[in-house]
Amino acid sequence: QLPRCELKMKFQSQGTSAHDIAAGGNGFIQLITEEGKIHKSSLSFFTNDIVMSLINKLNPFLAREEYTNLDCSILVVSIKQGIARLEPMLMITDKIAIIGEGQVNFRDEKLNINWNTEARKGLGINLSTLFNPYVRLGGTLAKPAIGLKPIEGAASAGLAVTTGGLSILGGSLLNRMKGEQDYCKKVKESLKLK
């Protein structure tokens, strides 16, 4: 069963070039995906090497298995004067939980996005070593770069992302979950998503 997706977005800008339009843009993107299965063939949509490398580092199981069992995902991006802020990105599958925050500055085209991942309980040591607990996308749109070092100042349990009064990470993400669907619902309510 494919996951049900709900996309809301708004974007306003003006300019004579793609750069000018992006650099002066204002709006938002909100994408909520519910429970379902994602086939690995969906990766064929992404042809850029850096995008594929990022996906594999965030969720190495996606390409290894026929299907990924998604519990939920939430993506919220605010865009103000050419700066797109990811606040937050949350994805929970049957094997891994991923949380991300950061920004894309379309004025100078710099990237600064960080992800924290945690293996689900019961995954096992052998499989849990496949993924990277900290992934960073830096550089520029023209020359993006992926890093795997922990974020400076981040606690051992993960980076702290606070949006709408909800501390999504801070302490163990998975230990604070009583149920993944309930947790996604809690995030939606805190962010006032409908």
Side-chain angles (χ1 to χ4, degrees):
Q1 180 182 355
L2 291 173
R4 179 178 177 272
C5 298
E6 180 181 338
L7 173 64
K8 297 179 181 179
M9 61 186 301
K10 179 180 180 181
F11 184 79
Q12 295 177 323
S13 187
Q14 60 183 8
T16 57
S17 68
H19 173 80
D20 290 344
I21 292 173
N26 294 282
F28 72 92
I29 301 171
Q30 175 183 307
L31 177 63
I32 300 173
T33 307
E34 298 179 355
E35 183 179 4
K37 293 180 178 290
I38 302 174
H39 194 271
K40 67 178 182 180
S41 62
S42 62
L43 292 177
S44 62
F45 176 78
F46 302 101
T47 57
N48 186 285
D49 289 343
I50 195 75
V51 173
M52 282 302 304
S53 179
L54 180 62
I55 290 174
N56 287 328
K57 284 179 171 56
L58 287 173
N59 187 0
F61 304 108
L62 194 59
R64 290 171 177 264
E65 300 182 344
E66 193 74 11
Y67 288 93
T68 293
N69 295 309
L70 178 70
D71 286 337
C72 69
S73 69
I74 297 173
L75 171 68
V76 179
V77 180
S78 65
I79 308 169
K80 186 174 182 179
Q81 293 299 306
I83 299 178
R85 290 186 170 86
L86 183 67
E87 49 185 20
M89 189 211 87
L90 169 70
M91 180 178 182
I92 301 175
T93 75
D94 60 334
K95 290 184 171 63
I96 198 169
I98 305 170
I99 190 79
E101 62 85 32
Q103 70 176 36
V104 178
N105 189 331
F106 289 104
R107 300 177 192 172
D108 56 16
E109 301 189 354
K110 289 184 178 180
L111 303 168
N112 183 21
I113 304 176
N114 303 291
W115 289 272
N116 176 262
T117 63
E118 289 192 27
R120 291 283 300 272
K121 292 180 179 178
L123 185 60
I125 296 176
N126 291 336
L127 288 178
S128 65
T129 58
L130 289 174
F131 71 92
N132 303 283
Y134 299 98
V135 179
R136 180 179 184 273
L137 180 63
T140 65
L141 292 173
K143 293 183 178 181
I146 298 175
L148 301 178
K149 292 182 179 181
I151 304 159
E152 183 178 356
S156 59
L159 71 102
V161 182
T162 304
T163 307
L166 174 67
S167 179
I168 297 173
L169 278 182
S172 175
L173 170 65
L174 296 181
N175 287 341
R176 295 177 59 197
M177 292 185 194
K178 293 183 178 178
E180 284 72 15
Q181 289 295 333
D182 291 340
Y183 188 80
C184 289
K185 181 179 179 181
K186 182 179 179 181
V187 174
K188 286 173 62 177
E189 290 174 348
S190 177
L191 297 176
K192 299 180 180 179
L193 305 181
K194 298 180 180 179

